[in-house]
Amino acid sequence: AFDLQVITDSAVPEAVRNLSVSSVSSTSVNITWQAPSNSHGISLGYTLLLENTLTGIQTTTALLASAASHMLSSLDEFTTYRLTIYASTRIGDGIKSSATFLTCQDAPTGNPAITTTDTTARGFIAEWSPLA
């Protein structure tokens, strides 16, 4: 009898699972995911791509292989973003998972300057300046 050891080559990882984006504030979100069901080798980490769909500005963030969440901050409020995340092995980048999300809009601050004119027993005209 003899022992036979077979070592197969790595492949690119499958897609991350259960990608989710939850709002923390009007300018930040928390992203969570589960590791691919099969990484096809030793995972080197995750790459997170974020694109502001209004400006087209893209940012890339490298994350550790042990990561399962990441907080994105300093986002523009009431803006749509496209998020893409994938795992990597020494063979290459895995299958991409994507989500699109809209950041919240803050409530306006301050008080508008309201003036009334033509006041009569039956009505009036109200004018106000928009909030900054």
Side-chain angles (χ1 to χ4, degrees):
F2 61 93
D3 290 331
L4 176 65
Q5 182 179 14
V6 177
I7 299 174
T8 60
D9 203 4
S10 297
V12 298
E14 294 178 5
V16 301
R17 299 171 294 135
N18 300 320
L19 177 61
S20 176
V21 180
S22 58
S23 178
V24 175
S25 72
S26 62
T27 59
S28 61
V29 296
N30 190 44
I31 302 161
T32 59
W33 65 91
Q34 291 179 323
S37 55
N38 194 337
S39 62
H40 297 291
I42 298 171
S43 179
L44 300 176
Y46 297 98
T47 301
L48 190 145
L49 306 169
L50 181 69
E51 178 186 4
N52 179 320
T53 61
L54 181 64
T55 65
I57 294 173
Q58 297 179 345
T59 58
T60 303
T61 304
L63 303 169
L64 297 174
S66 59
S69 67
H70 185 70
M71 177 81 67
L72 290 171
S73 57
S74 301
L75 302 174
D76 295 333
E77 70 176 60
F78 202 58
T79 300
T80 301
Y81 287 88
R82 183 174 300 112
L83 167 74
T84 303
I85 186 170
Y86 56 88
S88 298
T89 64
R90 67 180 184 84
I91 298 300
D93 298 336
I95 298 169
K96 295 175 171 72
S97 293
S98 297
T100 300
F101 64 92
L102 176 67
T103 54
C104 298
Q105 184 175 20
D106 272 340
T109 59
N111 295 314
I114 299 175
T115 58
T116 57
T117 57
D118 294 333
T119 304
T120 68
R122 298 186 68 190
F124 61 91
I125 296 175
E127 297 178 309
W128 61 91
S129 60
L131 296 174

